[in-house]
């Protein structure tokens, strides 16, 4: 049996250990406070030691002497909330200065590399105390992933970028790529919901649905003011023709693509090439200009009044609300949508069928005839609404009504019963 070796006892040096003097402070006007949230205690200790060796003053606790608050992977609101929770009072700037400055870790790392504090730029700031811009930029990192959770205002801050993305999405749909078209539409929807204008590509990198090709488009517009891919696309013959043909009532992407391959480049080519048309397509071509004219808000409100009077005949007390684009604030549109509600849900049973039957009767026809003549200068017969002057001026249909259904912009009604 072997005995265990005895541990050597190190003899203590009789000389006392002198404390190490802290490095001298080279920048007395700057006091840094490192936010431990998401940084961790170990990393905070390492960065504190590094800054002190470089001659910076680093505060262990937040106080009024702090001039630069440095955070890593936190938003402006996160930093303020964390400091307020630790200190018990909100962060406030001094009356005679703009400090403390709430900065990203990038300012700290650049200062350490330079050996001196670098000037604070806009890209370093997470926000400015008391500024609404701080809340706006903070919202960039909290965009909801689903469109139904976001606001999509008519007037927004990134229209140049969203217009380019929507053109690319339309071009992708012309090529039959619904996946790419949806990707561009999602990115445009996100950018429309932002409360401020994008200033750099760094702000867009963390936005949902804005990666890949969309990010390249965003960067090019921010740097050059224009996306060259979009400019080339808008000037291409195929894109212009597909946009024209798909805008015809009754024509989809596949039909437009087939017509384009057959040599159709303008509306007159359809007759020259003897393209076979459906009744809806004939109506869409004949009244192309009329159908491109949007419905105004005033006209939509008049239609709402007409529909309200019609439905009130069957169920009094209905609430009819105009929805769709007009409810979102649009002044023009191509259809009119209504939401019909009633406190008693059973009262709505069969209302749609009764309403449609009544609208097909002479009562609604008389109302529609009077409305269309006074408001739209259109006449009504069994085929639909049509422009009298155009029919009279046409040699082939002189003094006769159209032989195929005619579609009017005022006939675009959509109902939802709840």
């Amino acid at each position: 049996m072997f005995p265990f070796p005895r541990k050597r006892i190190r003899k203590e040096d009789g000389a006392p250990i002198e404390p190490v003097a802290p490095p001298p402070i080279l920048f007395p006007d700057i006091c840094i406070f490192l936010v431990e949230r998401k940084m961790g205690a170990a990393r905070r200790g390492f960065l504190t030691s590094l800054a002190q060796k470089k001659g910076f003053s680093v505060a262990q606790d937040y106080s009024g002497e702090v001039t630069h608050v440095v955070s890593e992977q936190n938003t402006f609101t996160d930093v303020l909330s964390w400091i307020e929770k630790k200190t018990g009072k909100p962060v406030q700037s001094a009356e005679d200065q703009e400090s403390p400055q709430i900065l990203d870790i990038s300012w700290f790392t650049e200062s350490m590399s330079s050996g001196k504090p670098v000037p604070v730029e806009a890209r370093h700031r997470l926000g400015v105390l008391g500024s609404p811009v701080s809340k706006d930029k903070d919202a960039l990192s909290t965009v909801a992933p689903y469109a139904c959770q976001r606001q999509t205002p008519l007037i927004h801050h990134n229209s140049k970028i969203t217009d380019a993305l929507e053109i690319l999405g339309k071009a992708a749909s012309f090529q039959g790529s619904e996946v790419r078209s949806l990707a561009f539409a999602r990115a445009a929807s996100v950018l429309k919901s932002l409360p401020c204008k994008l200033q750099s590509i760094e702000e867009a990198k963390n936005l949902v649905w804005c990666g890949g090709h969309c990010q390249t488009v965003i960067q090019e517009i921010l740097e050059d003011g224009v996306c060259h891919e979009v400019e080339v696309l808008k000037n291409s013959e195929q894109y212009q023709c597909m946009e024209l043909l798909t805008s015809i009532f009754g024509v989809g992407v596949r039909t437009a693509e087939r017509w384009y391959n057959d040599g159709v480049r303008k509306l007159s080519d359809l007759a020259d090439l003897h393209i076979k048309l459906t009744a809806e397509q004939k109506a869409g071509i004949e009244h192309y200009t009329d159908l491109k004219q949007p419905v105004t808000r005033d006209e939509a409100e008049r239609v709402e009044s007409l529909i309200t009077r019609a439905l009130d005949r069957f169920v009094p007390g209905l609430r009819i609300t105009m929805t769709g684009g007009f409810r979102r604030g649009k002044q023009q549109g191509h259809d009119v949508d209504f939401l019909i509600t009633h406190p008693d849900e059973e009262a709505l049973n069969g209302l749609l069928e009764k309403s449609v039957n009544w609208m097909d009767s002479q009562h609604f026809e008389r109302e529609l005839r009077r409305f269309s003549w006074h408001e739209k200068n259109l006449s009504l017969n069994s085929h639909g609404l049509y422009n009298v002057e155009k029919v009279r001026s046409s040699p082939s249909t002189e003094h006769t009504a159209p032989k195929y259904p005619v579609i009017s912009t005022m006939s675009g009604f959509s109902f939802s019963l709840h």
Side-chain angles (χ1 to χ4, degrees):
M1 186 174 181
F2 299 97
F4 291 101
R6 297 180 61 183
K7 292 184 179 180
R8 291 185 179 183
I9 301 176
R10 183 178 298 177
K11 294 182 179 181
E12 296 183 359
D13 193 354
I17 300 176
E18 297 181 359
V20 179
I25 297 177
L26 303 179
F27 314 104
D29 296 336
I30 293 180
C31 181
I32 300 175
F33 175 72
L34 297 171
V35 177
E36 188 174 321
R37 185 180 188 272
K38 292 189 177 181
M39 182 182 292
R43 178 166 170 76
R44 182 173 185 252
F46 168 76
L47 296 179
T48 299
S49 177
L50 176 62
Q52 290 175 341
K53 290 179 181 179
K54 298 284 186 176
F56 290 84
S57 173
V58 181
Q60 294 299 320
D61 299 314
Y62 180 80
S63 66
E65 298 178 356
V66 173
T67 60
H68 293 66
V69 177
V70 176
S71 171
E72 187 173 32
Q73 298 181 356
N74 289 296
T75 65
F76 182 76
T77 305
D78 292 338
V79 173
L80 298 184
S81 300
W82 186 84
I83 294 177
E84 183 177 355
K85 183 178 180 181
K86 291 292 183 180
T87 61
K89 55 184 179 180
V91 179
Q92 296 179 350
S93 59
E95 296 181 357
D96 58 341
Q97 57 185 358
E98 297 180 356
S99 62
Q101 301 191 71
I102 313 298
L103 306 176
D104 181 68
I105 191 70
S106 58
W107 175 86
F108 182 88
T109 55
E110 292 175 16
S111 299
M112 296 302 106
S113 300
S114 301
K116 60 181 180 180
V118 298
V120 176
E121 301 178 6
R123 59 188 177 87
H124 296 137
R125 290 191 178 95
L126 294 179
V128 180
L129 292 175
S131 172
V133 178
S134 304
K135 298 179 181 179
D136 291 342
K137 290 195 173 183
D138 186 39
L140 294 178
S141 59
T142 57
V143 176
Y146 301 106
C148 60
Q149 298 173 315
R150 301 189 298 264
Q151 293 185 352
T152 308
L154 294 175
I155 302 175
H156 54 91
H157 304 279
N158 299 282
S159 57
K160 183 178 291 187
I161 300 176
T162 57
D163 289 347
L165 293 174
E166 287 173 350
I167 290 175
L168 291 172
K170 186 182 292 186
S173 67
F174 291 162
Q175 297 170 359
S177 179
E178 294 299 328
V179 175
R180 292 179 61 243
S181 177
L182 178 61
F184 288 123
R186 282 173 168 171
S189 175
V190 170
L191 295 179
K192 288 179 181 179
S193 70
L194 297 183
C196 62
K197 185 176 181 179
L198 287 180
Q199 301 293 338
S200 67
I201 189 60
E202 297 298 327
E203 296 176 350
K205 285 184 177 179
N206 295 326
L207 292 177
V208 63
W209 306 119
C210 291
H213 194 171
C214 296
Q215 193 172 113
T216 303
V217 174
I218 295 172
Q219 182 174 6
E220 190 171 358
I221 293 177
L222 291 177
E223 294 177 355
D224 302 335
V226 65
C227 178
H228 299 287
E229 179 186 2
V230 173
E231 294 303 310
V232 172
L233 191 62
K234 288 194 300 183
N235 295 323
S236 66
E237 181 187 59
Q238 182 176 7
Y239 177 82
Q240 294 177 355
C241 291
M242 290 292 293
E243 189 175 31
L244 171 67
L245 296 177
T246 54
S247 65
I248 300 173
F249 178 78
V251 179
V253 173
R254 291 186 178 181
T255 301
E257 184 179 11
R258 185 174 68 252
W259 288 357
Y260 178 81
N261 293 332
D262 291 339
V264 177
R265 297 295 181 267
K266 51 186 182 294
L267 297 182
S268 59
D269 292 341
L270 293 170
D272 297 339
L273 297 175
H274 305 288
I275 301 296
K276 186 177 180 180
L277 305 174
T278 64
E280 290 80 8
Q281 292 167 357
K282 291 179 182 179
I285 295 171
E286 177 69 19
H287 299 272
Y288 180 81
T289 303
D290 289 339
L291 293 175
K292 292 290 287 185
Q293 294 179 357
V295 181
T296 65
R297 173 171 287 276
D298 181 63
E299 292 170 339
E301 291 175 351
R302 292 174 183 270
V303 172
E304 180 182 22
S305 176
L306 189 150
I307 298 298
T308 301
R309 293 198 305 270
L311 298 185
D312 192 60
R313 293 171 178 267
F314 302 99
V315 182
L318 283 173
R319 181 177 180 182
I320 301 177
T321 305
M322 190 186 304
T323 59
F326 288 107
R327 183 175 176 83
R328 296 194 298 270
K330 284 187 176 182
Q331 298 302 314
Q332 294 180 337
H334 290 281
D335 61 359
V336 187
D337 303 316
F338 298 104
L339 176 65
I340 304 172
T341 57
H342 193 275
D344 183 9
E345 294 183 0
E346 295 183 358
L348 299 177
N349 294 336
L351 175 62
L352 187 59
E353 182 179 359
K354 294 177 183 178
S355 303
V356 171
N357 292 336
W358 184 82
M359 289 180 183
D360 287 337
S361 68
Q362 295 297 319
H363 298 287
F364 182 74
E365 180 179 325
R366 184 173 61 252
E367 294 286 334
L368 182 58
R369 189 189 303 276
R370 182 171 62 247
F371 176 84
S372 60
W373 177 254
H374 289 287
E375 302 298 334
K376 299 292 288 183
N377 196 27
L378 296 174
S379 291
L380 176 71
N381 70 354
S382 60
H383 299 286
L385 294 172
Y386 64 97
N387 189 309
V388 178
E389 297 300 327
K390 286 189 176 183
V391 172
R392 288 176 178 175
S393 61
S394 176
S396 60
T397 59
E398 186 175 0
H399 301 293
T400 60
K403 296 182 179 179
Y404 45 82
V406 180
I407 309 300
S408 169
T409 54
M410 297 305 297
S411 61
F413 302 143
S414 176
F415 300 95
S416 178
L417 302 178
H418 293 278

